[in-house]
Each structure stands twice: as structure tokens, then as C-alpha cells.
Amino acid sequence: MYNKEISLLRNNLFKAQRAQRSFNQSIHDMRGAFVQATASYTAFAGVMGIANVGKKFPGYQSAMNMAFGGKEEGQRQSQYAMSEIYRLGLDTTAGMDNYSKLAVAAKGKLKTSDLQNLFSGYSEYAKVAGASEERISNGVVALQQMLSKGRITAEEFRNQMAEQIVGSDIAFKKAVEFDMLKIDPTQY
């Protein structure tokens, strides 16, 4: 009787151990499936993010083509903008949007080199000043409005541009002063 009970307990113990191993394997398999599902979702979300950004580029390219009088120069300017955006570590979508809007507003008012200097100089200054992408874009709206109107107004200058990036009003005033007096700013 004693041996029979020990044998029964031993059999129950082996069954419990097999069930435990089976349970552990199931947990391991579920964890693996969860990791694979997470990796798949992450890859899918990344591809969708790239696709969403990619959808916007034809619009930017159309604006560039219009602003620069054709596809060839529009593509050349898009490449310039992208190189500056990467160099400065700006958000690609916001940077292309900013450059294309400035380009449209500057059409017939600024030479391409002046537009490039304005975009690069403003973006560099904003980045060094620690401005967020939103603040940089808001400042570009002020520049765009000034270009569209063909004049600098106090509203865009003080209330929009200077408010977005600390010290940009002083830098802007100096740049205009240097230009008007034909002073080389590298001398100061």
C-alpha cells in the first residue's frame, strides 16, 4: 500500500512536471510571437511614416517647380533644400514645407542665391538658438508674409518672427543694416 501511494505520488509529480514544461514552452512561444508581432508592427509603422512623408513631397516639388520656373531648377532647389535640412538636422517635412513656401513668396523678388542665404541663415540661427520645429516654421511664416507683401511690417517683424526665436530681431536688423551700408558682416 505504501509503495502504491508513493508510485501514485511519483506519477502525479511527473505529470505535473510535464504540464509545467508544456506551460513554460507555451509561455516561451507566446513571448516569441509577441516579439515578432511587435517587430512587425514597428516595421509597418515605420514604412507608413515614410509613405506619409513621401506623399507630401510631390506637393513640395510642384511648388518648387512653380517658384523656380520649371522642373529642372525646381529639382535642383529641392536638392539644395534637402542638403541644408540634413546639414542642420531639421525635420524633413517641415524643412521642405518652409523652403517651398519661402520660394513661392520670393518668386520675382529675390535672386535664388538670396533666397538660399535667407533660408540657410534663418534656419541656422533658429537651430543654434534652440528653437523647436514649430517655432522655426512660425518664423518662416513671418518671413513669407514679409516677402509676399514686399515690405517689412512691425506685426510680422516683432509679433511673429522675433517672438518665435530669441534675438532674431536683433540679428535681422544687423543684417539689413550691413546690407544697406554695404558693410562686410564678417568684419564684426
Side-chain angles (χ1 to χ4, degrees):
M1 170 98 59
Y2 176 73
N3 287 338
K4 192 174 186 182
E5 284 186 31
I6 289 183
S7 179
L8 184 62
L9 285 173
R10 187 182 299 162
N11 285 339
N12 288 338
L13 176 65
F14 290 144
K15 283 181 188 176
Q17 286 175 338
R18 279 193 299 274
Q20 178 66 39
R21 279 192 292 265
S22 178
F23 179 74
N24 287 346
Q25 185 62 43
S26 295
I27 294 293
H28 179 72
D29 292 345
M30 283 178 25
R31 186 184 66 126
F34 180 72
V35 167
Q36 286 178 345
T38 302
S40 295
Y41 174 76
T42 302
F44 176 74
V47 167
M48 290 308 295
I50 290 168
N52 286 336
V53 169
K55 288 178 190 175
K56 295 178 182 179
F57 279 103
Y60 302 141
Q61 191 60 55
S62 294
M64 297 288 220
N65 295 349
M66 183 192 72
F68 294 104
K71 188 174 182 177
E72 188 175 310
E73 186 60 25
Q75 287 178 335
R76 197 172 7 261
Q77 290 306 310
S78 291
Q79 289 172 348
Y80 164 79
M82 288 303 291
S83 69
E84 284 297 286
I85 289 164
Y86 290 141
R87 181 179 72 84
L88 297 171
L90 300 172
D91 177 73
T92 306
T93 304
M96 285 301 290
D97 188 47
N98 290 339
Y99 190 74
S100 65
K101 285 179 180 176
L102 278 177
V104 170
K107 184 177 182 179
K109 296 173 184 145
L110 291 180
K111 295 185 291 185
T112 300
S113 61
D114 292 335
L115 172 66
Q116 290 175 344
N117 288 336
L118 175 64
F119 176 75
S120 296
Y122 177 77
S123 298
E124 271 183 45
Y125 186 87
K127 193 69 174 177
V128 169
S132 67
E133 294 291 338
E134 180 182 6
R135 287 190 173 271
I136 293 171
S137 292
N138 289 343
V140 168
V141 168
L143 291 171
Q144 176 191 359
Q145 289 174 351
M146 287 184 246
L147 284 168
S148 293
K149 291 177 183 178
R151 67 180 192 274
I152 299 171
T153 65
E155 180 187 354
E156 283 95 9
F157 186 66
R158 277 195 214 106
N159 298 341
Q160 290 179 331
M161 192 176 86
E163 198 174 274
Q164 297 305 317
I165 297 163
V166 177
S168 63
D169 55 337
I170 296 165
F172 190 84
K173 286 177 189 175
K174 282 183 181 177
V176 170
E177 190 176 288
F178 287 138
D179 188 52
M180 291 176 79
L181 298 174
K182 304 294 185 221
I183 298 172
D184 181 3
T186 61
Q187 300 299 312
Y188 293 89

